[in-house]
Amino acid sequence: MVKVLILDTTKKLPAAVLDEFLEESFDDLVMYGENLDAIHVTAPEREEKITGRLDDEDQLVQAMTGVDYVFLDTSDASILNHVLHAIKQAQGPKLIYASAVGIYDEVPGKFGEWLKEHRGEEFLNQMKQLTDTVEQSGVTYTILRLPPTYTNSMNDNYQARTRNQQFMFTQVSREAVGRAITQIVRDQRGEYDNLNIALGEPGSEGDAPIFDPSRA
């Protein structure tokens, strides 16, 4: 049985990842973060809640005991470094890290321009630096570069693109990201180890996301 630690679980993307694991797997799950009162344990035999800070490496290491995978969604360099240090101390977990598309100028045309305008070149540069940090950290990782995400329980479709491929999809559902992560965790061959891929929703090619990012 695989054990997955979902950091900062109350955020929208980690919460969707948690829901996908609960629905589509029998894996053991650890929910970690502050203010977890809103999260209800529905399967105590496989779910555990740990209240802790993302900058507390001692707590993080304890939460990583027996964990196979750690999922992290952050644009904070300090938090990322604390998590990476804790993973090294825990000696074992693999990191699944949510990054952003557009950090390699892999998004052409009007959507590439939209990303630079709406996400900002400063943010994209920051996410590239954090992604570089993960790749150079020495931990085993899978990087998921994402376009704007939204919630759609009826659509968990996605396609993956490698780091060197152009990326044309303007959005992806959080449920699709969760589905991708459950598939990564199921892999027993190391196919996703040290892989950097982008996820997008088929049919969403265009100049901008179909949904309204301000309401997502």
Side-chain angles (χ1 to χ4, degrees):
M1 188 67 66
V2 176
K3 191 173 186 178
V4 182
L5 170 62
I6 301 175
L7 296 175
D8 216 359
T9 318
T10 55
K11 288 176 61 178
K12 289 182 179 179
L13 181 57
V17 171
L18 171 64
D19 288 343
E20 192 70 19
F21 270 101
L22 288 171
E23 293 178 8
E24 302 296 334
S25 84
F26 296 100
D27 298 311
D28 292 334
L29 304 168
V30 182
M31 299 158 280
Y32 182 97
E34 300 180 70
N35 304 316
L36 298 181
D37 293 343
I39 295 179
H40 302 289
V41 172
T42 57
E45 70 279 3
R46 58 185 288 233
E47 292 179 77
E48 179 183 4
K49 284 201 303 185
I50 299 177
T51 300
R53 296 170 56 90
L54 293 180
D55 59 1
D56 189 326
E57 291 183 23
D58 290 337
Q59 282 187 311
L60 285 170
V61 172
Q62 291 179 9
M64 291 177 187
T65 302
V67 164
D68 301 288
Y69 288 88
V70 175
F71 174 65
L72 175 65
D73 171 28
T74 188
S75 59
D76 187 315
S78 176
I79 294 300
L80 175 61
N81 284 317
H82 285 303
V83 171
L84 290 172
H85 293 160
I87 288 176
K88 291 178 181 178
Q89 293 178 62
Q91 299 181 346
K94 298 179 180 182
L95 175 65
I96 301 174
Y97 177 62
S99 183
V101 298
I103 62 175
Y104 303 125
D105 288 327
E106 76 277 30
V107 183
K110 291 187 177 180
F111 181 51
E113 296 173 5
W114 186 96
L115 285 173
K116 291 178 181 178
E117 178 182 354
H118 290 267
R119 285 191 158 178
E121 293 194 45
E122 181 178 351
F123 171 78
L124 295 175
N125 290 334
Q126 178 184 0
M127 292 307 297
K128 182 182 185 303
Q129 292 175 6
L130 297 188
T131 303
D132 290 345
T133 296
V134 171
E135 292 183 323
Q136 298 164 10
S137 66
V139 308
T140 302
Y141 63 83
T142 305
I143 291 167
L144 302 179
R145 288 176 287 114
L146 306 176
T149 62
Y150 71 108
T151 296
N152 185 344
S153 61
M154 303 301 293
N155 183 4
D156 62 359
N157 294 324
Y158 71 89
Q159 290 184 4
R161 294 291 183 266
T162 66
R163 175 170 172 165
N164 297 321
Q165 289 180 295
Q166 284 192 342
F167 188 84
M168 308 293 288
F169 306 113
T170 61
Q171 63 187 39
V172 69
S173 75
R174 297 182 182 106
E175 289 77 8
V177 178
R179 176 173 165 238
I181 293 173
T182 61
Q183 293 182 337
I184 291 168
V185 167
R186 287 188 186 122
D187 174 61
Q188 300 296 315
R189 299 167 296 176
E191 180 180 350
Y192 295 95
D193 289 358
N194 301 328
L195 193 64
N196 181 332
I197 57 178
L199 302 181
E201 179 181 310
S204 69
E205 299 89 339
D207 298 340
I210 299 169
F211 73 97
D212 183 353
S214 69
R215 298 183 179 182

